[in-house]
Amino acid sequence: MKHTQAIDKSALLQKANELIAEHKDFFPGLSATDVEQKGDVLVFRGDYFLDEQGLPGSKSTVVFNVFKFLATELSPLYHLQE
């Protein structure tokens, strides 16, 4: 089993949003507003910039890829504190 550091949700979201701001695909409005622990993986959530019909918009793929980046970068390091 991997050993990860316990972290509270607000501290983890702060770290995640710092990484987002430095990401090459960053755009204004892109941020993580929630995170959930699913097994060993941290799942990040935020605005997916869906269109009026609730379908993926032009920015949705970027958001998905950035949230996936966060999961791969931060899951090996942290787990949510209970």
Side-chain angles (χ1 to χ4, degrees):
M1 180 175 168
K2 297 179 191 174
H3 183 70
T4 57
Q5 180 180 344
I7 189 170
D8 69 45
K9 188 181 279 194
S10 63
L12 182 57
L13 287 171
Q14 181 178 345
K15 286 181 180 291
N17 284 306
E18 288 169 2
L19 285 175
I20 289 172
E22 297 169 1
H23 196 275
K24 66 178 181 67
D25 293 330
F26 172 78
F27 60 86
L30 174 56
S31 68
T33 57
D34 194 21
V35 61
E36 182 180 356
Q37 186 83 46
K38 295 265 189 171
D40 291 339
V41 179
L42 295 166
V43 178
F44 292 88
R45 293 192 175 84
D47 187 349
Y48 274 91
F49 297 89
L50 302 177
D51 68 12
E52 299 79 33
Q53 290 91 24
L55 300 172
S58 61
K59 296 179 179 177
S60 299
T61 302
V62 172
V63 175
F64 175 81
N65 288 334
V66 170
F67 288 172
K68 181 179 168 185
F69 163 78
L70 292 175
T72 59
E73 290 293 310
L74 297 174
S75 294
L77 304 175
Y78 302 103
H79 63 273
L80 284 177
Q81 202 168 34
E82 295 183 25

